[in-house]
Amino acid sequence: MASQDPVQILRERFAAAMRDAFGDALPADADPLISPSRQPELGDYQSNAAMPLAKALGRNPRQIAQELAARLDLSGVAEPVSEKNIAGPGFINVRLSTDALARLLDGLEDHDLGVERPARAQTVVVDLCGVNLAKQMHVGHLRATVIGDALARTNARLGHTVHRQNHLGDWGLPIAMVTDAVMDGVRNGTIDLNALRLSDLERIYRAAQRACDADEKGLDAVKRYGLGPKALAELEEQVAGANERMARAKATLLNLQRHEPETVAVWRRIAQITLDECLAICRRLQANVAEEHTAGESTYAEELAGVVADLESRGVASVSDGALVIDLKDVGIAEPLLIRKSDGGFLYATTDLAGIRRRVQKLGADRVIYAVDARQSLHFRQAFAGAKKAGYARRPDGSDAALIHAAFGTILGEDNRPFKTRSGDNVKLSDLLDEAVARAEAAIAERSPELPAEQRRINAEAIGIAAIKYADLSSDRAKDYVFNFDRMLAFEGDTGPYLLYALVRIRSILRKAAEQGLTPADGAARAALRIGAKEEKDLALTLLRYPGTLQSVADSCEPHRLTNFLHDLAGAFAVFFRECPVLQAETPEMRASRLRLCALTGRVLEDGLGVLGIPTVDRM
RNA sequence: GCCCCGGUAGCUCAGUCUGGAUAGAGCAGCGGUCUUCUAAACCGCAGGUCGCAGGUUCGACUCCUGCCCGGGGCGCCA
């Protein structure tokens, strides 16, 4: 199947002309540099190849452009180029032929919106969501879930095999603390395991952490400055109590590690309560994170000793100040990766190495993508380098899998500080979704009072979620962004609702057309596309960018490239909608052609929003 | 101290990967457009030392060096 993407097609035609014109003199890295035109009045696409080529060959760029133009075969694609299509220092402007444009759109419609099956499907592992036991999801989990899910969907859409991994924080001393506290409560009758909820668990977790935190510094200060026997006694009691709680937590961790049934049963219950709520929120967020994607830290517990022994025996890791570390200076990282504490305990880096090993060796990953906060950047640079050094990222063909940290910035409040509640707590994700939906419902009540209440409720849910996800996905993920309900739910602007509105108008036209017995028929019976008006052409050229955009999202792990595209598409449709009557078109042929254009635009919008995990509505 | 990320219009952001034509959107401001497929839309006007300074280049928001500002990180927490 030939590509439906004019950029691809023109790239091949130009590359052929370049080889033809310059033969062996052609630099190996010579690129046709095809892109949609920056000057639509001059052409649809442009090649900037002549300038770098002129530099490499030490010749005049306009002359190079002319030689390229002379050998360029654009038959069946574009109008022939001549002197008049060469502009400025050597830009070559190309205008698609009308019939080629229609044919490419036919192809887009027939061939999965132009998405070609990959020559070799890759296995892609996406680490996403990343919740912790006994903690509610908060804003920090929004991005890990939404971005991770979008990247997983993008890769799946392109035909790759995707494994989602919810790397649940369900192991280690903090988890033992809360487990111990819950067991305590069960024994003394203050906790009913069956009635226990996540909000209770979170409270218990915090209390347990406080209880284990010995105020040694305070005690030292009291002793040093002689702050009196009362203060001394209080602090001594605090420290003694904390030490005792800590000792019990450590004992509980040992019990977990040796699978002591009672302890494990309580821990399992805590995990299930946490996971149930996490998965419910993911469902509400329309993020595909389900039970089967759970791969908690606890599932690596049995592997860690083996990993550490393996690395030590092969000399990959060595002892430093009592700890076992992988030195990374030879790969340009000053900080060593600690994989075993001097007390023998393992660290989260140890688990991450085991994770890379499992994902590449067992799951067969060609790429592993981590949708994790940017503050973990150094950690992942170290872990990736350590894993490669250990050979854990090695694929059967001997090359290393691509390990990618899709780092994202912090969500900020209006004060430009990390988004918190008034009291300084993390904002619960469920509260955030509730508020977005409530605000959407208010907007709908004002805007569309004619809709039945039930429909308004359904729309509010979809629009609220769409607004939040679009806002999160539409800026460069590396950057921090300021969370603002008013802006993301605004009636106007670059928002989720804007895209949904474009789709609503398309669906409305298609409904009305169907009422008149008109359908944008497929296959042989379908009407010919007649791309005449400027607005039709702009819309058509935008549609053709879709497959290339998807590919670039997958390559860069940057979903905002897709939101930018969809916004362009919705904008091109809005102009088309304004200027080009569909049902009232001048002729039946034009009406049929425009109806197909509407249907195709609707399909691409639906597909793109689906790739981002953004829900849609039929009316608004 | 070292490392990473960011700095583009009054505000919020694209564009930087791979240098290329007068740097683009949205919001806010001003002015237009609904007897016609949903005006949550569209059109126009106005708004810019692309943090600063050098350098490379025919050409720099884009690449290189230094600096300034903001955020984050840096051996036994996860």
Side-chain angles (χ1 to χ4, degrees):
Chain A
M1 185 189 90
S3 173
Q4 313 304 328
D5 184 351
V7 172
Q8 286 291 345
I9 296 168
L10 292 174
R11 191 175 286 153
E12 285 160 24
R13 301 290 183 100
F14 270 79
M18 285 160 64
R19 283 192 301 274
D20 192 30
F22 305 108
D24 293 340
L26 190 69
D29 61 347
D31 190 314
L33 295 171
I34 308 294
S35 61
S37 181
R38 286 178 49 90
Q39 315 272 307
E41 60 280 9
L42 298 179
D44 302 329
Y45 295 87
Q46 66 184 70
S47 165
N48 295 349
M51 284 81 77
L53 216 46
K55 183 178 280 187
L57 302 175
R59 298 187 41 203
N60 177 302
R62 269 199 87 98
Q63 204 178 354
I64 297 277
Q66 280 168 23
E67 287 177 35
L68 281 179
R71 288 160 201 264
L72 198 55
D73 174 14
L74 295 178
S75 57
V77 184
E79 294 164 12
V81 300
S82 64
E83 178 79 38
K84 69 180 190 332
N85 301 104
I86 299 171
F91 301 106
I92 305 173
N93 292 304
V94 174
R95 197 173 291 286
L96 293 186
S97 61
T98 314
D99 59 331
L101 184 54
R103 208 168 53 251
L104 289 167
L105 288 170
D106 286 345
L108 206 66
E109 191 171 80
D110 293 341
H111 301 292
D112 197 19
L113 301 179
V115 178
E116 298 175 69
R117 305 299 297 179
R120 282 192 317 277
Q122 293 200 321
T123 296
V124 181
V125 171
V126 180
D127 186 301
L128 77 179
C129 191
V131 295
N132 295 304
L133 229 63
K135 281 188 178 171
Q136 317 213 46
M137 289 179 85
H138 56 80
V139 280
H141 297 111
L142 177 67
R143 308 205 76 190
T145 304
V146 168
I147 294 170
D149 183 47
L151 294 176
R153 287 171 188 255
T154 304
N155 281 286
R157 178 66 181 87
L158 290 173
H160 300 298
T161 301
V162 172
H163 297 286
R164 292 149 198 267
Q165 298 274 287
N166 184 359
H167 194 76
L168 194 65
D170 63 355
W171 204 246
L173 196 54
I175 304 304
M177 288 178 194
V178 66
T179 305
D180 179 55
V182 170
M183 292 177 80
D184 212 24
V186 170
R187 271 193 295 269
N188 66 29
T190 55
I191 292 176
D192 174 1
L193 268 188
N194 293 314
L196 197 58
R197 294 185 318 173
L198 186 53
S199 52
D200 304 322
L201 273 178
E202 189 159 57
R203 209 179 48 247
I204 294 165
Y205 189 174
R206 285 192 202 163
Q209 278 191 311
R210 271 198 308 276
C212 289
D213 185 16
D215 191 0
E216 303 277 8
K217 277 192 187 134
L219 185 58
D220 283 351
V222 169
K223 284 178 180 165
R224 188 171 322 129
Y225 302 115
L227 296 180
K230 187 158 180 274
L232 184 65
E234 276 175 11
L235 276 160
E236 277 176 342
E237 190 184 332
Q238 194 279 336
V239 168
N243 287 341
E244 195 232 318
R245 294 294 296 236
M246 184 60 94
R248 279 178 41 190
K250 285 180 176 171
T252 302
L253 182 58
L254 281 175
N255 281 335
L256 280 171
Q257 285 166 345
R258 68 167 77 102
H259 310 294
E260 192 280 311
E262 192 191 343
T263 310
V264 168
V266 171
W267 171 77
R268 273 197 212 289
R269 179 78 194 127
I270 295 170
Q272 200 56 51
I273 291 167
T274 307
L275 197 57
D276 284 348
E277 183 151 331
C278 168
L279 298 183
I281 290 181
C282 287
R283 277 194 297 278
R284 189 175 186 202
L285 254 184
Q286 311 264 337
N288 183 4
V289 179
E291 186 98 40
E292 65 264 31
H293 305 131
T294 306
E297 292 176 347
S298 62
T299 66
Y300 295 98
E302 305 288 327
E303 300 172 22
L304 300 186
V307 164
V308 166
D310 174 48
L311 296 177
E312 191 168 20
S313 70
R314 285 161 51 216
V316 178
S318 57
V319 176
S320 163
D321 293 336
L324 191 67
V325 309
I326 302 180
D327 186 276
L328 301 168
K329 287 197 199 71
D330 58 330
V331 289
I333 301 174
E335 298 84 349
L337 180 65
L338 269 76
I339 57 171
R340 190 183 64 207
K341 297 192 282 184
S342 48
D343 70 2
F346 303 130
L347 295 110
Y348 74 136
T350 326
T351 308
D352 277 331
L353 288 182
I356 292 167
R357 187 173 70 166
R358 180 190 295 172
R359 291 164 180 191
V360 178
Q361 308 304 327
K362 281 232 174 74
L363 299 178
D366 298 298
R367 307 177 84 200
V368 188
I369 299 168
Y370 290 79
V372 179
D373 194 299
R375 283 172 291 198
Q376 305 279 333
S377 289
L378 175 60
H379 165 68
F380 281 115
R381 280 213 304 141
Q382 291 176 286
F384 294 166
K388 286 179 180 172
K389 215 164 171 174
Y392 290 170
R394 192 87 29 89
R395 294 185 291 177
D397 73 0
S399 66
D400 281 333
L403 306 175
I404 301 158
H405 178 201
F408 53 77
T410 306
I411 301 181
L412 306 175
E414 292 299 325
D415 58 357
N416 268 308
R417 304 294 311 160
F419 195 35
K420 303 276 184 183
T421 63
R422 256 181 245 287
S423 55
D425 292 329
N426 283 323
V427 177
K428 281 166 44 184
L429 189 47
S430 59
D431 289 348
L432 197 74
L433 302 185
D434 284 344
E435 177 150 6
V437 169
R439 284 172 181 247
E441 188 149 20
I444 292 164
E446 188 181 330
R447 214 64 200 176
S448 315
E450 76 285 357
L451 290 179
E454 173 65 4
Q455 187 63 48
R456 291 211 301 259
R457 199 190 57 73
I458 291 169
N459 279 10
E461 184 71 23
I463 292 171
I465 298 296
I468 283 191
K469 294 183 81 168
Y470 187 86
D472 198 85
L473 292 167
S474 63
S475 70
D476 184 344
R477 62 172 161 66
K479 290 188 180 179
D480 297 348
Y481 76 89
V482 175
F483 194 90
N484 182 318
F485 280 117
D486 291 330
R487 198 159 51 230
M488 70 178 69
L489 279 160
F491 288 3
E492 51 280 313
D494 180 9
T495 62
Y498 177 82
L499 296 195
L500 299 193
Y501 182 64
L503 187 53
V504 159
R505 299 212 282 192
I506 292 169
R507 287 175 173 171
S508 176
I509 288 182
L510 295 177
R511 267 197 309 272
K512 287 202 157 67
E515 284 164 15
Q516 300 173 28
L518 298 169
T519 53
D522 297 326
R526 72 188 172 192
L529 284 169
R530 298 151 172 264
I531 307 301
K534 177 182 181 300
E535 294 80 10
E536 292 174 300
K537 185 164 184 182
D538 286 347
L539 181 57
L541 289 173
T542 305
L543 285 165
L544 292 170
R545 283 165 44 200
Y546 184 57
T549 301
L550 279 185
Q551 187 58 54
S552 98
V553 171
D555 291 343
S556 63
C557 296
E558 291 180 357
H560 80 283
R561 297 181 188 217
L562 182 51
T563 61
N564 286 352
F565 165 79
L566 292 173
H567 184 256
D568 287 350
L569 182 60
F573 179 77
V575 176
F576 162 84
F577 181 88
R578 174 78 178 180
E579 299 299 326
C580 302
V582 178
L583 299 175
Q584 309 296 325
E586 288 170 38
T587 65
E589 290 77 18
M590 193 179 275
R591 182 177 63 192
S593 168
R594 288 180 175 171
L595 205 50
R596 277 188 62 200
L597 215 43
C598 286
L600 190 54
T601 304
R603 274 184 65 194
V604 171
L605 272 175
E606 284 165 1
D607 201 73
L609 288 167
V611 164
L612 296 171
I614 292 178
T616 67
V617 296
D618 288 330
R619 294 179 171 81
M620 63 191 283

